[in-house]
Amino acid sequence: MPLPTQPTLDFVTGLPKAELHLHLEGTLEPDLKLRLAERNGVDIGQSTVEDVQATYRFTDLTSFLAVYYPAMDVLQTEDDFFELAHAYLLRAAANGVKHAEMFFDPQAHTARGVPFEAVVKGYHRAAAAAADFGVDADLIMCFLRDLSAESAAETLEASVPFKDLILGVGLDSDERGNPPEKFAGVFARARDLGYRLTMHCDIDQVGSIDNIRTVLETIGVDRIDHGTNIVEDPALVAEVKARGIGLTSCPVSNSFVTDDMKAAEVAQLLRDGVKITINSDDPAYFGGYVADNYAAVAAKAGLTPEEVVTLAKNSFEASWIDEDRRAAYLAEIDRYVEQYEPTEA
Ligand code: HPA
Ligand code: ZN
């Protein structure tokens, strides 16, 4: 069976893929938010799904984060974290995700008195259980960059007893005034502890290019989250290409926090041979899981089915799995493409 002439939603949904930029707290769907609010006796100020959705008006990263953090108050027990991650992983499986490297924000919970252990154990239990439905999942612990480097360092030390449950560390939240060098010492220590390193370089920030250069040359990250402003500097594009550094783009999220999906930038980087990948970021807030993101960027940039297959291959190439599993997933993509039969007319 030849490839379809267009990368349809049906084709991209079944395409085996890895999701590498996904905030577990950003998968909190309105119905689960309401259920947990009731169970834990938390007044979130809304009582219907429509009321919750009416608060989802974002014009930039800052206005998104202002809605995102207060909602986390509903997450209190280990079981709450398990349920949140389990619900995401079921949706991911239905989106063709075979491997997920999932961000979580411990400081957003420990700052409210939730034990670190409840967060990491609940999430890890869900990650382990996802093997039953064909997803292998890992955790990446993010530091909140608008908090101090000392707070990040304390969080890093709190993670040490759970090091075997965490694959790497990342950096998220508000980039404005919080450049990567603020966390250089924390990331050096994380590297010494054996963690893989990634950092957000959000879209269209003041100093985006300087921050991308710093994460590559000073911090020495293994991957960059978002980072598509790199197209402004061909020398940095050449550097990520030569070093095989992956970028995790999130088109639907981009269209909420800026006025553009950045599809042209994704297409350019893909055609330049950079390991650019497609991901969903905070799907409960932006309304698109990973297959929707593939379909949206393909339609906007006019990507061919072959190019979409390369995006899926990039997701495993840029992932932090061992070489045997990587080869097995890449072969699974080839088999899918060979055997693909459209299920839609
Ligand atoms: N950028 C920064 N912080 C975040 C994001 C993001 O894309 N998603 C959730 N927290
Ligand atoms: Zn993100």
Side-chain angles (χ1 to χ4, degrees):
M1 188 76 196
L3 279 173
T5 51
Q6 296 296 326
T8 60
L9 184 60
D10 176 63
F11 178 72
V12 301
T13 299
L15 189 58
K17 56 185 93 63
E19 177 141 67
L20 307 179
H21 186 152
L22 178 283
H23 300 262
L24 281 168
E25 290 84 1
T27 69
L28 182 56
E29 289 285 347
D31 56 345
L32 182 58
K33 193 186 284 185
L34 290 167
R35 195 152 53 75
L36 293 177
E38 183 161 336
R39 186 159 92 194
N40 292 325
V42 178
D43 180 6
I44 57 168
Q46 303 104 34
S47 54
T48 68
V49 167
E50 293 71 29
D51 291 346
V52 174
Q53 274 162 346
T55 67
Y56 292 3
R57 282 201 213 88
F58 324 116
T59 50
D60 54 17
L61 182 60
T62 309
S63 58
F64 160 67
L65 295 172
V67 174
Y68 180 64
Y69 289 119
M72 294 183 199
D73 286 355
V74 305
L75 294 162
Q76 300 199 349
T77 68
E78 181 183 321
D79 281 347
D80 298 342
F81 293 99
F82 171 84
E83 273 183 54
L84 176 62
H86 183 67
Y88 159 69
L89 286 160
L90 285 172
R91 283 177 182 260
N95 272 248
V97 171
K98 305 293 175 192
H99 173 71
E101 295 176 7
M102 312 178 294
F103 296 135
F104 70 109
D105 283 338
Q107 289 156 294
H109 313 299
T110 54
R112 300 181 284 114
V114 176
F116 186 96
E117 183 171 353
V119 181
V120 77
K121 283 193 170 170
Y123 283 153
H124 181 261
R125 191 149 51 85
D132 293 347
F133 49 89
V135 180
D136 71 74
D138 287 299
L139 294 172
I140 300 174
M141 175 175 74
C142 283
F143 306 113
L144 300 182
R145 66 197 309 160
D146 42 357
L147 301 186
S148 66
E150 290 71 30
S151 174
E154 281 165 20
T155 305
L156 181 61
E157 296 313 317
S159 79
V160 171
F162 307 98
K163 206 156 63 74
D164 293 348
L165 310 185
I166 301 169
L167 187 57
V169 300
L171 187 69
D172 63 5
S173 204
D174 203 341
E175 189 167 330
R176 250 186 339 176
N178 299 296
E181 55 268 29
K182 176 176 167 186
F183 297 94
V186 179
F187 274 67
R189 165 84 176 138
R191 169 75 81 206
D192 288 345
L193 286 168
Y195 288 121
R196 309 300 293 261
L197 309 185
T198 187
M199 280 187 170
H200 276 59
C201 290
D202 268 283
I203 305 296
D204 295 347
Q205 298 290 304
V206 174
S208 271
I209 279 292
D210 292 337
N211 288 351
I212 291 170
R213 187 174 298 108
T214 303
V215 305
L216 285 170
E217 295 177 357
T218 307
I219 309 292
V221 292
D222 301 301
R223 202 155 69 205
I224 300 178
D225 299 311
H226 298 295
T228 43
N229 284 80
I230 200 170
V231 295
E232 296 160 23
D233 188 327
L236 288 177
V237 173
E239 185 173 340
V240 287
K241 190 175 161 186
R243 287 168 58 184
I245 302 239
L247 303 186
T248 63
S249 185
C250 307
V252 175
S253 162
N254 294 346
S255 67
F256 275 84
V257 299
T258 73
D259 56 6
D260 190 38
M261 209 185 275
K262 308 296 178 192
E265 288 82 347
V266 169
Q268 181 184 327
L269 290 164
L270 175 68
R271 290 167 188 160
D272 277 353
V274 172
K275 283 184 192 162
I276 182 130
T277 67
I278 300 300
N279 309 270
S280 68
D281 206 4
D282 302 285
Y285 290 89
F286 302 134
Y289 281 79
V290 69
D292 305 307
N293 276 270
Y294 272 72
V297 77
K300 187 79 192 285
L303 302 182
T304 65
E306 288 82 356
E307 287 175 323
V308 171
V309 170
T310 302
L311 286 172
K313 289 192 171 179
N314 284 351
S315 71
F316 293 108
E317 300 274 7
S319 75
W320 295 334
I321 50 180
D322 62 53
E323 292 309 322
D324 288 351
R325 275 195 295 161
R326 194 187 324 279
Y329 285 129
L330 293 173
E332 211 178 305
I333 292 180
D334 287 336
R335 269 198 310 280
Y336 174 79
V337 170
E338 274 161 31
Q339 296 169 2
Y340 177 69
E341 301 267 1
T343 55
E344 291 167 339

